[in-house]
Amino acid sequence: MKKLILVILTITLAISCNQEQKQEAPKPETPFVWEGANLYFLLTDRFNNGETSNDVNFDRTRETGKLRGFEGGDIKGITQKIQEGYFTDLGINAIWMTPIVEQIHGGTDEGTGVTYGFHGYWAKDWTKIDPNFGTEEDLKELVKEAHAKGIRVVLDAVINHTGPVTEKDPVWPEEWVRTDKQCTYDSYDNTISCTLVANLPDIKTESNENVELPPQLVEKWKAEGRYDQEVKELDAFFERTGHPRAPRFYIMKWLTDYITDFGIDGYRVDTVKHTEEYVWQEFKKECDYAFETYKKNNPDKVLDGNDFYLVGEVYNYGISGGQWFDFGDRKVNYFNPPSFQSLINFEFKWNSKELSYEDAFKKYNDSLKGPLKGFGTLNYLSSHDDGSPFDAKREKPYETANRLLLSPGTSQVYYGDESARSLVIEGTEGDATLRSFMNWEAVNSDPKTKAVLTHWQKLGQFRTNHPAVGAGKHQMITQEPYLFYRSYQQGDFKDLVIVGLDLPKGEKVIDVSKVFEEGDKLQDAYSGVKATVENGKIIINSNANIILIERQ
């Protein structure tokens, strides 16, 4: 009898232990997925001033047009906000910064007042960080701190042009650039083999002729005591690759150094359609090589198995074009042969204005699971050079968040979207109105701004916690009330969420039977209310008109 009791106790204990082990089995780690990432785009000079001693360099002291000079933002300022948890609280898992390479020293007037290269798109020397933005040590620290919080770092690459010519910045040699023909944008050739605007020398990216270094760079590097080292590295690059010493390959070498030296995770590539498409295939190959080299040399700093991220700015590309962009006389595929993983989607703001939530979400789901399967789009509602944003006067900050952060595809939060930073600044000319300094005072003290920010934080965290939101399959549950679910699977990781929009405030009875099982323990990530599935339904009592349902 005692033996029988002992056997029963042993079996009971074993069953109990197995159940505990089942309950305590760790959930698969949530993967980072570029196709569903929440990317924050900021102008390095306009976000946060972390080091006031670098605010003026190269005697950039001329009076400028409003918001057309350097305002003091820098790499240290971004790092400070990473350390404070600002991006983590906002649910951001990737940061895209405008170019940080050394800009032209002089200012130029394009008809909108004297302007300096605060935006980063007027390169003078690709091999050096502009001191207004910071130092190499600053960039290393930023990448380290971002990676420690699971945030990827995306820099901005410019290959097709140098900065304007000024009294301090001579034109590059004619074998490097063209200056005689301005683009008319009415054909493929008249978009590529020409200058974007007057006084913006166009790199001869089509050339395969060997060229010498520009004399101004030789003089500069010698004065800085690094000429021999730069030439040695260039010699090694051209020997390894077998590329001719043509202009585009010099620049590719200089840009990929930021991958091997600092471990950045991606590039947003500027003015893609103004360069021959094969250039981007070559650039991708060099970026991939540099990224693999970095990971091999720094195995302890590798975040995951994702490839290097390349997203292209093909101005006016829209998701409706699938993999193709139409120049009028020629269509070009910038996705395949392999070049870009994603393109910025200039159509998203119009879809958001014209389509219902469901029509827009279904359109994007069908495109990303159809013609664009295996690729992605980067959706935005405001940006640094789009003069027709979705909500310029910031009258719909909550809808802006709903549209952007709940749409299939990668989301691009433009700095200040989350704080309703004004995009209409009196006294500015052109795109300067889009580029005011980040409104930190309102973020810290204004109740309305804080309420808007809280909404963006809740949606952003939900998005980054659930790859299903951006990268998953979309399916409507009911039109009235508007409910949909998203589902995503990668290996052992499975993700299911339900979202409801424009719901009544107060008690909400939600049918979740198509997605979750009886007895499942769920919670509304927006209100924090928990619920258990009973008879296929849950009850959420909250003061919000939105629900974000996830497993507890």
Side-chain angles (χ1 to χ4, degrees):
M1 184 68 178
K2 289 181 178 178
K3 288 184 178 180
L4 179 60
I5 293 173
L6 185 60
V7 169
I8 293 172
L9 286 171
T10 303
I11 293 172
T12 302
L13 185 61
I15 292 172
S16 176
C17 288
N18 284 338
Q19 287 176 341
E20 286 182 10
Q21 287 174 357
K22 277 185 179 180
Q23 291 173 355
E24 294 175 3
K27 296 179 181 178
E29 185 178 347
T30 302
F32 173 83
V33 184
W34 279 110
E35 290 78 7
N38 193 18
L39 182 150
Y40 193 93
F41 169 38
L42 57 86
L43 268 72
T44 309
D45 177 68
R46 299 296 161 87
F47 186 65
N48 188 37
N49 192 342
E51 178 62 72
T52 56
S53 66
N54 64 12
D55 287 358
V56 179
N57 292 280
F58 309 122
D59 194 31
R60 293 170 172 147
T61 55
R62 292 174 63 189
E63 183 178 353
T64 68
K66 188 168 184 177
L67 289 175
R68 292 199 166 274
F70 284 88
E71 297 278 326
D74 49 32
I75 295 169
K76 276 190 175 180
I78 301 167
T79 304
Q80 285 177 3
K81 292 301 176 181
I82 294 172
Q83 293 169 329
E84 291 172 10
Y86 182 79
F87 296 104
T88 301
D89 291 344
L90 195 55
I92 296 299
N93 50 17
I95 297 172
W96 153 28
M97 303 155 52
T98 46
I100 56 174
V101 302
E102 186 172 326
Q103 298 295 288
I104 60 170
H105 294 181
T108 186
D109 190 341
E110 297 178 302
T112 53
V114 172
T115 303
Y116 284 111
F118 70 90
H119 44 66
Y121 295 100
W122 289 351
K124 180 183 183 75
D125 184 351
W126 276 269
T127 70
K128 196 155 185 277
I129 295 175
D130 194 290
N132 268 74
F133 302 138
T135 66
E136 291 188 358
E137 289 305 312
D138 293 342
L139 182 58
K140 287 178 182 176
E141 182 72 6
L142 182 148
V143 173
K144 184 186 80 170
E145 293 295 322
H147 284 178
K149 292 185 179 292
I151 299 172
R152 276 68 180 169
V153 177
V154 178
L155 295 186
D156 206 316
V158 181
I159 290 182
N160 89 300
H161 63 269
T162 69
V165 179
T166 77
E167 72 284 357
K168 295 182 179 180
D169 307 283
V171 66
W172 289 43
E174 62 179 13
E175 60 266 27
W176 274 83
V177 300
R178 63 173 60 83
T179 58
D180 57 339
K181 179 185 176 185
Q182 193 171 331
C183 297
T184 55
Y185 307 108
D186 53 3
S187 69
Y188 178 84
D189 288 338
N190 289 336
T191 303
I192 290 179
S193 304
C194 45
T195 66
L196 295 177
V197 294
N199 194 24
L200 196 65
D202 184 64
I203 297 287
K204 293 182 176 178
T205 49
E206 79 283 2
S207 172
N208 286 314
E209 298 299 316
N210 292 326
V211 298
E212 298 295 326
L213 284 165
Q216 59 263 49
L217 272 189
V218 172
E219 180 182 356
K220 181 176 183 293
W221 291 350
K222 285 183 176 179
E224 294 169 351
R226 59 191 181 97
Y227 171 77
D228 291 339
Q229 179 61 32
E230 292 294 342
V231 170
K232 180 181 177 181
E233 290 182 14
L234 284 167
D235 290 344
F237 172 81
F238 286 115
E239 182 177 355
R240 175 183 66 80
T241 62
H243 293 316
R245 289 176 178 260
R248 69 184 184 276
F249 293 118
Y250 280 94
I251 300 173
M252 287 183 198
K253 187 273 178 192
W254 297 331
L255 287 171
T256 53
D257 280 350
Y258 289 89
I259 305 172
T260 51
D261 293 348
F262 302 97
I264 65 168
D265 305 282
Y267 264 125
R268 177 267 192 185
V269 181
D270 187 57
T271 55
V272 166
K273 71 177 184 180
H274 302 287
T275 299
E276 300 77 11
E277 56 270 25
Y278 59 78
V279 171
W280 307 122
Q281 297 163 34
E282 296 166 340
F283 187 50
K284 173 179 169 52
K285 184 177 179 180
E286 294 305 327
C287 286
D288 288 345
Y289 178 87
F291 198 47
E292 288 305 312
T293 300
Y294 175 81
K295 291 194 289 187
K296 182 180 178 181
N297 294 338
N298 302 274
D300 58 321
K301 297 179 181 178
V302 176
L303 290 178
D304 55 33
N306 272 296
D307 294 333
F308 191 78
Y309 181 63
L310 275 185
V311 56
E313 182 230 18
V314 178
Y315 202 83
N316 281 337
Y317 165 81
I319 193 172
S320 295
Q323 294 184 31
W324 297 91
F325 178 79
D326 191 352
F327 282 87
D329 61 341
R330 186 188 303 188
K331 289 185 177 181
V332 173
N333 187 330
Y334 289 103
F335 292 97
N336 198 21
S339 45
F340 292 101
Q341 184 175 337
S342 183
L343 293 183
I344 295 174
N345 175 29
F346 289 80
E347 183 182 335
F348 186 73
K349 62 176 184 175
W350 303 117
N351 294 152
S352 297
K353 286 181 178 180
E354 297 165 358
L355 301 177
S356 68
Y357 281 121
E358 174 57 25
D359 287 346
F361 293 162
K362 184 178 186 304
K363 172 186 174 72
Y364 279 67
N365 176 80
D366 292 349
S367 294
L368 291 165
K369 304 305 177 192
L372 285 172
K373 187 174 183 179
F375 301 105
T377 61
L378 180 57
N379 302 322
Y380 75 90
L381 288 175
S382 66
S383 193
H384 67 315
D385 59 1
D386 189 327
S388 303
F390 174 71
D391 181 26
K393 295 182 179 179
R394 301 300 198 184
E395 297 170 336
K396 299 181 286 186
Y398 293 91
E399 182 185 350
T400 300
N402 296 348
R403 293 271 182 183
L404 181 65
L405 299 179
L406 296 176
S407 179
T410 308
S411 54
Q412 173 200 300
V413 180
Y414 185 48
Y415 79 106
D417 280 351
E418 77 280 15
S419 57
R421 176 181 63 86
S422 179
L423 300 176
V424 181
I425 308 297
E426 188 176 348
T428 57
E429 294 284 344
D431 52 23
T433 192
L434 308 169
R435 303 174 177 185
S436 60
F437 208 84
M438 180 64 180
N439 56 333
W440 292 117
E441 185 176 346
V443 169
N444 294 327
S445 61
D446 181 65
K448 288 185 178 180
T449 302
K450 287 184 175 183
V452 169
L453 178 61
T454 297
H455 181 72
W456 280 79
Q457 288 172 334
K458 289 179 178 181
L459 266 65
Q461 289 182 33
F462 186 70
R463 181 183 179 90
T464 200
N465 290 337
H466 296 286
V469 176
K473 179 183 178 182
H474 170 84
Q475 181 64 54
M476 184 175 72
I477 300 174
T478 57
Q479 182 70 60
E480 293 288 344
Y482 181 50
L483 297 171
F484 63 87
Y485 76 86
R486 300 271 169 81
S487 57
Y488 178 82
Q489 182 168 357
Q490 183 185 106
D492 294 333
F493 177 81
K494 296 180 181 179
D495 194 23
L496 283 169
V497 297
I498 290 178
V499 176
L501 295 174
D502 297 332
L503 304 179
K505 294 182 178 181
E507 184 175 281
K508 294 171 270 290
V509 180
I510 309 298
D511 186 340
V512 298
S513 59
K514 291 182 179 179
V515 182
F516 295 109
E517 297 179 0
E518 196 72 8
D520 278 354
K521 296 185 180 302
L522 308 178
Q523 66 182 0
D524 172 22
Y526 196 88
S527 66
V529 174
K530 301 181 186 301
T532 300
V533 181
E534 296 181 6
N535 299 318
K537 298 178 181 179
I538 58 172
I539 297 175
I540 301 294
N541 196 334
S542 72
N543 292 323
N545 62 359
I546 178 175
I547 57 169
L548 307 171
I549 304 300
E550 62 187 4
R551 295 187 189 276
Q552 288 186 29

